Amino acid sequence: MKTFKEKLHIGLNQEIKIKNRLINKKSSFQKIEIFDTLTYGRVLALDGVIQVTEKDEYAYSEMLVHPAMQALSKKAKKILIIGGGDGAVAEEVLKYNDIRSIDLVDIDKEVVDLSKKYFKKINKNSLISKKLNLFYEDAFKFIDKNQNSYDLIIADRPDPIGAGKSLYKSNFYKKIKNIMSESSIAVFQSGVPFLQEKELKEVIKDVKKYFKYYGSYFTVVPSYIGGFMALVWASNNYDLFKKKKFFINKNIKTKYFNKEILNASFAVPNFLKK
Ligand code: SAM
């Protein structure tokens, strides 16, 4: 049986048995692979790095969306998703009826088109929602020329390699700040600290330059090997950490997120406290 070998981390490969290969092509930005596996169900890999799997995507997409959405509650009307071409994060945001629109900016139209077809189980057709506006360009450039203001900005970005590099530049966060409304939160995928501690440190170093409130919280996504994943939040109006005890919207159906998980996710281990 064929295998997929992820070599994202030096000296550490993740090998996954493939049941059948569905897509293996190069777009103008990256190598796109979609395959069904024994362990993780259907998987999307870009430039050889796992992006999303049917098995555990909800532990990631729910935690990227619900803490901030529940803190903002009905104030979250205009949402921006950076990256997110598989539609998993958009699916979580669309669970809130009060939102007016989602702008989703993915550099690669092919990822979106393939995800519409191959990842319906994960995105529940979020990518064809009437509330969703799709833009195909480098999000770094998109936010530069964008005059909108957003109540929630979610950077569902890949690792800082290839096209993803521009979403980790120091002034990326300054540009994000410039398109946030007066009651707004931004959340950034920030790597797995056990293996990418430098990434988390860099994100916090940059975020603290532009935001009054900021912090990290954690989730566990087994296919992003190396232990728990860090998500960084930032805002000039909300201290998400303080609002943690806020109302949990009972009629939002989730498989991972709940009140206990929410509170526990803000606990920071000593090696990351500094
Ligand atoms: N959940 C994944 C993770 O944590 O690594 C990310 C998933 S999502 C599929 C990543 C998306 O970012 C991809 O569809 C890729 O095309 C897109 N992307 C990469 N660089 C980008 C850029 N500069 N601007 C906009 N989208 C970008």
Side-chain angles (χ1 to χ4, degrees):
M1 188 180 282
K2 294 186 290 302
T3 58
F4 168 80
K5 204 180 270 186
E6 181 190 73
K7 302 179 184 135
L8 173 64
H9 302 294
I10 299 161
L12 175 70
N13 294 341
Q14 174 172 214
E15 199 169 287
I16 309 170
K17 290 245 180 295
I18 294 180
K19 272 195 327 203
N20 63 327
R21 246 187 213 293
L22 299 161
I23 296 288
N24 184 1
K25 65 183 293 187
K26 254 187 134 2
S27 74
S28 25
F29 299 97
Q30 53 209 334
K31 182 177 180 193
I32 305 174
E33 294 172 88
I34 299 176
F35 44 90
D36 287 332
T37 69
L38 283 178
T39 320
Y40 287 139
R42 184 160 294 178
V43 176
L44 167 69
L46 298 176
D47 282 344
V49 179
I50 290 181
Q51 301 295 312
V52 71
T53 86
E54 282 176 343
K55 184 82 176 175
D56 59 12
E57 64 77 25
Y58 57 88
Y60 171 80
S61 51
E62 288 180 14
M63 289 305 284
L64 207 55
V65 169
H66 298 303
M69 272 305 280
Q70 305 245 339
L72 287 164
S73 185
K74 296 198 181 326
K75 294 198 188 78
K77 302 280 182 217
K78 268 183 75 57
I79 320 290
L80 174 63
I81 298 174
I82 289 167
D86 51 48
V89 167
E91 189 246 339
E92 293 304 323
V93 175
L94 285 166
K95 289 179 179 175
Y96 294 83
N97 301 327
D98 296 318
I99 63 154
R100 201 171 323 125
S101 70
I102 304 172
D103 287 353
L104 188 150
V105 196
D106 197 301
I107 200 164
D108 198 337
K109 183 174 184 304
E110 299 220 39
V111 173
V112 177
D113 292 344
L114 289 165
S115 297
K116 283 179 186 170
K117 181 169 177 216
Y118 289 101
F119 286 104
K120 292 183 193 304
K121 254 202 213 155
I122 285 180
N123 62 40
K124 312 261 187 335
N125 287 322
S126 65
L127 295 168
I128 54 172
S129 161
K130 290 184 301 313
K131 288 190 176 180
L132 188 76
N133 310 308
L134 286 166
F135 300 87
Y136 302 115
E137 61 181 292
D138 183 338
F140 190 76
K141 296 196 182 91
F142 176 89
I143 57 180
D144 217 10
K145 60 183 179 10
N146 191 312
Q147 306 308 323
N148 279 327
S149 69
Y150 296 96
D151 308 315
L152 174 61
I153 297 181
I154 301 173
D156 178 17
R157 54 190 177 180
D159 290 282
I161 44 179
K165 271 203 194 110
S166 69
L167 307 180
Y168 289 79
K169 287 180 187 156
S170 175
N171 59 352
F172 169 70
Y173 304 94
K174 185 175 172 201
K175 293 174 188 287
I176 290 280
K177 181 185 160 209
N178 297 340
I179 56 170
M180 288 169 81
S181 66
E182 63 296 330
S183 73
S184 179
I185 300 176
V187 186
F188 306 92
Q189 185 277 93
S190 300
V192 287
F194 272 104
L195 302 179
Q196 298 168 313
E197 190 177 347
K198 190 171 149 297
E199 191 174 312
L200 177 57
K201 272 195 196 135
E202 290 291 306
V203 175
I204 294 281
K205 185 170 69 53
D206 289 329
V207 148
K208 71 198 302 183
K209 285 181 210 158
Y210 307 112
F211 293 96
K212 190 174 163 197
Y213 307 109
Y214 60 88
S216 39
Y217 62 104
F218 305 93
T219 185
V220 177
V221 191
S223 58
Y224 299 158
I225 50 164
F228 51 73
M229 167 166 261
L231 305 173
V232 170
W233 63 273
S235 174
N236 281 313
N237 337 88
Y238 285 93
D239 179 344
L240 187 58
F241 179 75
K242 285 222 176 81
K243 286 191 69 84
K244 227 167 16 47
K245 53 192 175 307
F246 44 73
F247 173 69
I248 294 284
N249 185 330
K250 290 269 178 284
N251 52 27
I252 299 287
K253 293 273 156 288
T254 52
K255 278 174 80 173
Y256 183 89
F257 175 82
N258 62 37
K259 198 169 186 74
E260 298 75 23
I261 284 282
L262 172 66
N263 285 302
S265 68
F266 278 77
V268 182
N270 282 352
F271 81 100
L272 291 177
K273 268 198 189 303
K274 52 187 187 301

